[in-house]
Amino acid sequence: MAFNYSPLNKTATDLITKFGQAVTFSKKVTSAYQPETGGFSNSVSSTYAAQIVILDEPKTEKEESSTVLVENEALCSSTTEPTIGDTATINSDQYKITAVKKIQPAATVVFYELRIAS
């Protein structure tokens, strides 16, 4: 007998929505076909909506060429799978996804664990 993870997904989505905030991520898509020109473009961006909760404590701080990079862990509920490199503006700070872990014990994605850097 298979376990139904849909109620668990709904609970996770409800909690992330209640305690988090709505965010619009931008995704860069390279080499997208442009039917009007008959060619390929190099930088087409698309957006998708998600609900996100940023956890309080920064997990790491790294120095990269005289700037400090602060990474936080976040929980995300989205119908579009987040990918490394996607960006969003959250609370007037620009964030970039640096790691994605899909919590999916079966065919149903429950939520995503993200590492985001500002």
Side-chain angles (χ1 to χ4, degrees), residues 51-118:
Q51 294 289 330
I52 190 169
V53 173
I54 299 175
L55 304 179
D56 288 337
E57 300 275 330
K59 293 297 180 187
T60 60
E61 294 184 16
K62 303 175 188 174
E63 282 195 41
E64 290 187 5
S65 66
S66 75
T67 61
V68 176
L69 178 69
V70 179
E71 290 186 324
N72 291 80
E73 288 194 17
L75 305 178
C76 176
S77 175
S78 176
T79 56
T80 302
E81 183 173 348
T83 56
I84 294 173
D86 294 355
T87 59
T89 301
I90 305 168
N91 299 331
S92 72
D93 291 326
Q94 187 72 23
Y95 287 90
K96 183 177 184 179
I97 297 175
T98 58
V100 178
K101 181 178 179 183
K102 186 181 348 179
I103 307 303
Q104 181 181 10
T108 302
V109 175
V110 178
F111 65 94
Y112 300 95
E113 287 182 1
L114 305 178
R115 186 168 289 245
I116 55 176
S118 63

Side-chain angles (χ1 to χ4, degrees), residues 3-18:
F3 185 78
N4 181 7
Y5 287 96
S6 296
L8 190 56
N9 170 269
K10 182 178 178 344
T11 301
T13 300
D14 290 346
L15 288 171
I16 291 171
T17 301
K18 180 177 179 179

Side-chain angles (χ1 to χ4, degrees), residues 31-44:
S31 298
Y33 179 70
Q34 300 295 318
E36 55 276 352
T37 63
F40 290 90
S41 68
N42 289 332
S43 62
V44 175

